[in-house]
Amino acid sequence: MTVTAGIGYALLALGPSLSLFVSVISKKPFLILTLLSSTLVWLISLIILSGIWRAFLPLKSTTWWPFAILIFSSVAFQEGLRLLFWKVYKRLEDILDAFADRVSKPRLYLTDKMQIALAGGLGHGVAHAVFFCVSLLTPAFGPATYFVDRCSQIPFFLVSAIIALAFVTIHTFSMVIAFNGYAEGNKVDQLFVPSVHLAAGMMVGTNMVGS
């Protein structure tokens, strides 16, 4: 392939995130800080997970259950971290509201809270895309492409970019749903987010079984 193809794959994976950043996040410095801190937190969490599982990889088994355990434990860890992230945010929100009361300014509006959740989710999605997809795209800038037996009709780099885009979308809006569920005590929203995350992870994990 060429540089053009490599740039195209990168834009497919991260283009919508870039648009969301320019149109929403970049207008408020606090949202930029939220995005950067969220990206850092999730990158660190993924590095920790990879370090833990490095002792067990590569999995020699062709059965499904070792991969299911790997994915389930990873999703559980990240969802626990999501809850912790919300608790930290909630404490910060209380501090900001108290400060607003002291200076006779309005408290955070619902739209402000949703934008903060959106920035946090975008950070999660970007971290996932960088960790699992963008790091694989370097060879796409070379003179050839690469196919795998399980998907011999579509270049591997294109598949990776599409998967990255899917997970960016899932993580971005899952954070908004999760924050709303935590704030309102909505059990449906609280269970919906990890369920979607786990289902998406398992769908991707099926490609590893027997490969």
Side-chain angles (χ1 to χ4, degrees), residues 47-61:
I47 292 172
I48 292 173
L49 284 171
S50 64
I52 293 173
W53 277 103
R54 185 66 182 87
F56 304 95
L57 297 176
L59 297 176
K60 303 297 184 181
S61 175

Side-chain angles (χ1 to χ4, degrees), residues 3 19 31 94 96 137 143 172 187 209:
V3 174
S19 299
L31 295 181
D94 293 338
L96 291 175
L137 290 183
T172 298
K187 296 297 183 182
V209 180

Side-chain angles (χ1 to χ4, degrees), residues 127-147:
H128 189 282
V130 170
F131 196 85
F132 288 105
C133 173
V134 177
S135 59
L136 302 175
L137 290 183
T138 304
F141 289 85
T145 189
Y146 178 69
F147 295 87

